Amino acid sequence: MRSLTLIFFAFISSLAFAQHQQPDAASIKLRLNKLNVLGSVLYVAAHPDDENTRIITSMANDRLMATAYLSMTRGDGGQNLIGPEIRDLLGLIRTQELLAARRIDGGKQFFTRANDFGFSKSADETFQIWNKDEILRDVVHVFREYQPDVIITRFPPDERAGHGHHTASAILAQEAFDVAGDASRYPDQVKKFGTWQVKRLYTNTGRWWNNSINESTPGITTLDVGGYSALLGTSFSEIAAVSRSQHKSQGFGSRGTRGYQPEFLEFVKGDKGEKDIFDGINTTWSRVKGGSKIQPMVDRVLREFNAENPAASVSVLFQIRTEIAALEPGVWRTRKLNEVEQLIQDCLGLFIDVTANQYWLAPGEKVVTNVELVNRSAVEVVVKQMKSGDIGMDSTLNLSLKNSTTVVFKNSKVLRSDAPYSDPYWLRDAHSTGLFTVNNPAMIGKPENDPAVTVVFSVIAAGQSFDVHCPVVYKWTDPVKGELSRPFEVVPPVFVNLSDKILIFNSEKPREVNITLKSSMEGVMQGEVQLEVPTGWKVEPASLPFNFSKRNEEVVKTFLVYPSSSEQTSTIKAKAMITGKGSYDLSIQTISYDHIPTQTLLPKAEAKVVRLDLKKEGGVIGYIKGAGDDVPDALRNMGYEVWEMKNEEVTAENLKRVDAVVLGIRAVNTNERIGFLMSSLLEYVKNGGTMIVQYNTSGDLETDKFSPYPLSISRDRVTDEQAEVRILKPDHPLLNTPNKISAKDFDGWVQERGLYYPNKWDPQYESLLSMNDKGETPKDGSLLVAKYGDGYYVYTGLSFFRELPEGVSGAYKLFANLVSLGKAKKPENTKVKGRSKTK
Ligand SMILES: [Zn+2]
């Protein structure tokens, strides 16, 4: 709930990641109201964006319930509208988008270990890939830990849910409903949390599934989620829209609605509630043994609350805290203790801030922090102590904080030498297609790592003591955006980054492999770096020395790698040995967007190497960006020069210089000027050019004139990456020149074959491939090619954007054929002449 305060900042600036925003009186009042409500609800679905933010916002801020969303997955398998990150990296972005959404709508966020492996057509397939029992275990874990009274699933437990993950999420919620109360199931969890019996479970149905549904439909409970908060000056549905708009990688910007807004819930199991989902559930203090006397105390605070002087409430809040602390241990004691302590701090206007002078350090290094303390109330506040096990801090302060007098001091402590690195806990170890590896059971359900360093301040106010937990952050001032912050992190002393993630070896010729070493640690460091290659490959030299004198120095070391003589896909691994310290084999990758905190990953310093007899024609490829993909890098890896053309560069004259044009994924969805550019592009094809259009979705095309002859994009997809591929036109040049393509080239594909295939096309197109998921009719629209004038137009929904970055050799050969199309035969055409101009 304290996150509610961030709503206002989210509206006005990107300060959302400042460590502590002092809440205003309206937010404090709302949380005081909430202190008297003891009910909880857990919303369950499969992906980031499945959650109904209207229900979450209304439950958390109107009904004042403890509210959370359990997403089975982190959304790793989706498409990314804002950048090139896919798979694990996209899951990381979407995790943070969910947390950004929850900071606005006031919910809490949970996950299971399930990996979003891509679209799935059935719950059975999903369960097989996830390992159903492992995911059920996590769902039960969250039920037992969070102890919700009511569960709401987004989806029905059958095919109506559409996506296999959706169906699976509803099935798991219903099973966990029974299992969480059974002490014989997952007894390790029972020891920690006890068992838990949820009262009732609903499905969040609606007109999507039943267009005649209304408030009087039998078996339906209606929630009005459109209420207005005079306190906050907004409708809950308006807050929900801001929350939903955090799903920026999915393009779910949403606009608020005002006024009555019904949500329909269908009762599924448990004790039936007649009119309301909390019917018959005690949501007052009397539900907790010994809690009855707290209700009137909170009522008194509410009566006497003075928005101009919240500190006047502090002494009664301390009395309430004493009563809560005396309760038997349990979820409500913990939850309400946290709430009341945060309220005390906020009513005091007590600002405590610890910032590090570096955003990352290596274990064993000195952490220099700046501590700022200020009490903005007339109440006497003394800060007794500051402690942190992470940096061996245990300092007595006895600082008396006078009203509005800031105390600032520096502190220097040593980071534990065994401090764990700050990379996301679920990405630390290799994982299967369906399940992340999490070795520490304490992390199950958690959305992200705990802060690297937390400092706990013991504070005495009005004669009573309480603790303030303060994660250490790094702050800086951006000349345009103002104050910004990012988490303080622990990283290895040296980063080992290979220049490429994939290296294609077109022949037996060696290739240079560059390794960038970067020191993350202060002081002199020396050692040597090695590159390990697979059997049959060779590297020169065996090792190279390096020397650093200070933090953030970088140096590039170059090795020569000789490939195997025959076609092979393998891995090369780099490591740096620091004299007197040990060996380090992690690289560094940072993800940075304005709407989420900076994310740091430490992937293994590895690259895939592919020895491939790849033939190609042409030299320069024009590339027009879509939603973002790594196809340009793959083309460079194949030996092409890639011109990433800006819209204004797409002119008839410039197009004469390129041998083929490739449209990035979803370019027809995302490039507003694509309709205008199309006339030049199609003219270019007509004059002998080759154009490859990668997948687009049908719903939001900027133009329907993106092809020389009609074709219509459908939702047809083939999600089984091993689905048989039948070659329909084995003699077509696209499948023969310069590389011979056979069924074998479709081995080793990842995640899926392709998506959004056209399902109708003009007879001018030739369909080259046929494929389908199990039990479905053949889908023949994955690769369509048409002659247009003197050139070729290709439309393909095959997932090259997933396969090329993974080094899938068959995908490279086929893509080389696409961009080489028509080149071998006509060396004399205008494009070749044009191209020579660029050289
Ligand atoms: Zn979904």
Side-chain angles (χ1 to χ4, degrees):
M1 264 314 300
R2 55 182 307 284
S3 44
L4 238 193
T5 57
L6 294 177
I7 292 167
F8 306 103
F9 292 100
F11 279 132
I12 56 172
S13 74
S14 58
L15 287 176
F17 313 115
Q19 175 190 6
H20 181 89
Q21 300 295 352
Q22 181 61 37
D24 58 22
S27 156
I28 292 177
K29 177 64 168 48
L30 190 87
R31 284 181 293 129
L32 285 171
N33 293 340
K34 191 162 185 156
L35 196 56
N36 247 350
V37 181
L38 285 79
S40 60
V41 56
L42 178 67
Y43 200 90
V44 181
H47 305 116
D49 89 344
D50 288 343
E51 85 278 21
N52 185 330
T53 54
R54 288 186 303 270
I55 289 188
I56 292 175
T57 306
S58 150
M59 280 294 146
N61 303 285
D62 193 6
R63 302 294 298 270
L64 304 172
M65 300 294 169
T67 306
Y69 173 41
L70 167 60
S71 178
M72 297 297 143
T73 76
R74 296 172 185 269
D76 325 79
Q79 292 102 45
N80 183 357
L81 259 65
I82 55 171
E85 298 88 359
I86 50 173
R87 294 164 77 93
D88 291 357
L89 303 187
L90 181 58
L92 184 58
I93 291 173
R94 293 205 173 158
T95 295
Q96 290 299 328
E97 290 182 340
L98 275 182
L99 290 170
R102 297 296 84 79
R103 280 191 285 271
I104 288 161
D105 62 35
K108 205 173 147 66
Q109 184 62 49
F110 293 103
F111 291 97
T112 73
R113 285 168 293 157
N115 181 18
D116 174 5
F117 55 83
F119 189 80
S120 171
K121 289 175 179 170
S122 78
D124 281 350
E125 181 203 56
T126 296
F127 284 143
Q128 227 170 37
I129 296 173
W130 279 353
N131 186 337
K132 185 183 174 189
D133 189 64
E134 291 298 320
I135 306 307
L136 179 63
R137 170 192 287 275
D138 290 0
V139 176
V140 172
H141 178 113
V142 173
F143 280 23
R144 285 170 171 170
E145 182 186 351
Y146 195 67
Q147 303 188 1
D149 298 312
V150 177
I151 301 281
I152 303 172
T153 66
R154 166 78 273 187
F155 301 103
D158 52 49
E159 316 76 64
R160 284 176 299 155
H163 189 319
H165 299 172
H166 293 167
T167 316
S169 72
I171 295 173
L172 287 164
Q174 294 195 16
E175 287 193 26
F177 184 98
D178 299 325
V179 171
D182 179 349
S184 70
R185 300 293 299 276
Y186 314 120
D188 51 318
Q189 293 174 7
V190 177
K191 254 184 245 157
K192 197 168 170 196
F193 306 115
T195 59
W196 180 249
Q197 185 53 60
V198 177
K199 258 288 192 301
R200 57 182 70 113
L201 185 147
Y202 295 89
T203 295
N204 184 190
T205 181
R207 302 215 163 101
W208 191 2
W209 284 293
N210 172 1
N211 57 19
S212 64
I213 206 165
N214 62 43
E215 289 78 349
S216 50
T217 305
I220 293 296
T221 302
T222 307
L223 297 176
D224 174 15
V225 295
Y228 174 71
S229 170
L231 200 56
L232 303 175
T234 176
S235 294
F236 300 112
S237 44
E238 289 177 289
I239 299 175
V242 181
S243 166
R244 182 132 189 100
S245 300
Q246 299 309 303
H247 293 302
K248 296 188 194 299
S249 70
Q250 320 207 46
F252 280 155
S254 170
R255 92 198 250 183
T257 59
R258 288 146 293 274
Y260 177 70
Q261 175 85 49
E263 282 289 340
F264 302 112
L265 303 181
E266 188 179 342
F267 174 77
V268 178
K269 66 197 295 182
D271 267 2
K272 194 164 179 175
E274 281 301 315
K275 287 214 161 59
D276 184 71
I277 63 170
F278 280 92
D279 269 359
I281 297 175
N282 184 355
T283 60
T284 71
W285 276 104
S286 66
R287 77 180 286 168
V288 183
K289 193 178 158 199
S292 298
K293 53 185 164 227
I294 298 172
Q295 199 96 10
M297 296 169 83
V298 178
D299 287 340
R300 184 182 151 200
V301 177
L302 289 171
R303 260 194 326 271
E304 294 172 358
F305 181 69
N306 177 357
E308 305 274 10
N309 181 22
S313 299
V314 165
S315 67
V316 187
L317 285 170
F318 269 119
Q319 291 169 29
I320 293 169
R321 177 175 168 275
T322 305
E323 291 299 334
I324 298 173
L327 298 171
E328 285 171 14
V331 73
W332 285 112
R333 180 182 178 276
T334 310
R335 209 171 262 161
K336 293 297 171 184
L337 214 45
N338 285 338
E339 287 180 20
V340 76
E341 290 189 349
Q342 189 63 58
L343 278 163
I344 290 169
Q345 187 191 344
D346 294 341
C347 286
L348 288 169
L350 178 59
F351 178 90
I352 300 188
D353 192 40
V354 186
T355 54
N357 69 346
Q358 301 286 338
Y359 48 80
W360 59 40
L361 291 175
E365 274 203 284
K366 200 180 277 176
V367 190
V368 178
T369 52
N370 191 68
V371 181
E372 182 183 343
L373 306 162
V374 58
N375 163 30
R376 286 160 303 175
S377 74
V379 178
E380 193 194 344
V381 172
V382 177
V383 180
K384 294 290 288 180
Q385 263 185 324
M386 54 191 261
K387 280 188 181 186
S388 173
D390 305 313
I391 47 176
M393 176 194 278
D394 188 356
S395 315
T396 303
L397 298 173
N398 283 325
L399 274 171
S400 178
L401 300 181
K402 302 274 172 290
N403 191 354
S404 284
T405 307
T406 309
V407 176
V408 180
F409 58 92
K410 287 220 178 325
N411 195 280
S412 172
K413 283 280 177 292
V414 174
L415 197 57
R416 266 171 38 197
S417 58
D418 62 346
Y421 298 147
S422 301
D423 51 332
Y425 74 89
W426 68 98
L427 296 178
R428 216 162 269 163
D429 295 299
H431 62 80
S432 66
T433 310
L435 189 68
F436 288 111
T437 308
V438 177
N439 293 318
N440 179 1
M443 298 311 288
I444 297 295
K446 286 197 181 186
E448 61 178 345
N449 295 7
D450 294 332
V453 176
T454 299
V455 178
V456 182
F457 292 84
S458 310
V459 179
I460 296 182
Q464 303 256 1
S465 76
F466 69 107
D467 288 345
V468 174
H469 293 253
C470 193
V472 176
V473 298
Y474 174 78
K475 286 186 180 175
W476 74 101
T477 307
D478 179 277
V480 176
K481 295 172 184 169
E483 182 182 281
L484 294 174
S485 74
R486 57 184 282 178
F488 169 77
E489 293 173 308
V490 181
V491 295
V494 63
F495 302 126
V496 185
N497 276 46
L498 282 108
S499 49
D500 299 279
K501 288 219 172 72
I502 303 283
L503 289 138
I504 304 293
F505 291 79
N506 254 336
S507 67
E508 287 191 47
K509 269 198 268 171
R511 272 190 71 170
E512 283 188 350
V513 173
N514 291 321
I515 297 176
T516 305
L517 297 169
K518 180 174 178 162
S519 152
S520 76
M521 199 171 143
E522 203 47 73
V524 175
M525 196 195 296
Q526 52 190 2
E528 56 180 39
V529 57
Q530 289 181 356
L531 188 62
E532 186 189 305
V533 298
T535 328
W537 295 59
K538 216 177 77 188
V539 60
E540 281 174 358
S543 72
L544 287 165
F546 65 85
N547 269 295
F548 289 125
S549 58
K550 57 179 196 296
R551 194 193 311 282
N552 290 335
E553 274 185 354
E554 281 185 38
V555 62
V556 179
K557 299 286 168 184
T558 304
F559 290 88
L560 206 55
V561 171
Y562 294 80
S564 59
S565 50
S566 57
E567 292 202 337
Q568 193 192 354
T569 299
S570 198
T571 305
I572 55 173
K573 299 173 182 179
K575 67 175 172 199
M577 276 81 63
I578 303 175
T579 313
K581 233 176 144 51
S583 149
Y584 298 88
D585 64 351
L586 300 176
S587 63
I588 175 88
Q589 187 170 5
T590 302
I591 299 178
S592 169
Y593 289 103
D594 275 354
H595 66 303
I596 58 172
T598 302
Q599 297 296 299
T600 298
L601 288 113
L602 302 170
K604 286 262 186 219
E606 295 180 353
K608 216 174 240 183
V609 286
V610 185
R611 168 75 176 92
L612 189 61
D613 288 316
L614 183 78
K615 297 177 198 76
K616 64 175 188 59
E617 301 290 343
V620 184
I621 309 290
Y623 180 86
I624 299 170
K625 191 175 181 286
D629 56 56
D630 286 333
V631 171
D633 279 347
L635 286 163
R636 288 185 189 106
N637 221 327
M638 289 155 76
Y640 284 108
E641 190 185 318
V642 181
W643 181 1
E644 298 192 47
M645 301 177 90
K646 299 195 188 84
N647 283 342
E648 59 272 22
E649 291 172 339
V650 183
T651 61
E653 206 46 43
N654 284 339
L655 287 168
K656 284 180 187 163
R657 304 184 193 173
V658 302
D659 295 301
V661 172
V662 177
L663 264 58
I665 57 167
R666 307 190 59 237
V668 189
N669 297 126
T670 58
N671 186 331
E672 285 173 13
R673 300 200 66 223
I674 199 73
F676 171 76
L677 305 181
M678 253 327 145
S679 53
S680 321
L681 289 166
L682 291 173
E683 194 58 26
Y684 155 77
V685 176
K686 205 172 181 177
N687 291 332
T690 299
M691 170 151 94
I692 291 102
V693 181
Q694 300 185 80
Y695 97 90
N696 291 279
T697 57
S698 54
D700 49 355
L701 293 166
E702 292 286 344
T703 174
D704 51 7
K705 294 184 185 61
F706 55 88
S707 54
Y709 313 108
L711 60 79
S712 72
I713 299 170
S714 75
R715 298 183 65 88
D716 284 354
R717 57 205 298 170
V718 177
T719 63
D720 179 359
E721 66 273 24
Q722 294 172 30
E724 182 203 1
V725 177
R726 296 170 296 270
I727 295 178
L728 300 176
K729 300 254 163 59
D731 298 330
H732 195 279
L734 198 52
L735 300 174
N736 290 281
T737 50
N739 302 290
K740 172 79 192 156
I741 300 296
S742 68
K744 175 173 122 308
D745 292 303
F746 294 94
D747 290 349
W749 283 46
V750 297
Q751 183 159 331
E752 63 191 353
R753 288 293 186 204
L755 64 176
Y756 298 102
Y757 295 164
N759 62 352
K760 272 185 253 150
W761 50 86
D762 189 273
Q764 296 280 352
Y765 291 100
E766 291 188 87
S767 156
L768 303 187
L769 304 173
S770 175
M771 60 191 78
N772 54 273
D773 280 322
K774 229 182 284 166
E776 299 201 344
T777 55
K779 305 287 178 275
D780 295 353
S782 67
L783 182 57
L784 300 175
V785 53
K787 191 93 188 93
Y788 179 58
D790 292 334
Y792 288 96
Y793 175 91
V794 177
Y795 191 94
T796 180
L798 290 171
S799 292
F800 288 106
F801 72 107
R802 296 195 187 282
E803 312 311 321
L804 299 176
E806 294 293 320
V808 176
S809 56
Y812 273 88
K813 287 185 181 175
L814 183 52
F815 208 78
N817 284 9
L818 298 188
V819 293
S820 303
L821 192 56
K823 294 293 148 329
K825 288 179 214 148
K826 302 193 272 50
E828 243 101 39
N829 67 20
T830 52
K831 299 178 305 301
V832 177
K833 228 191 293 164
R835 187 177 78 238
S836 61
K837 275 193 234 162
T838 64
K839 294 206 170 141

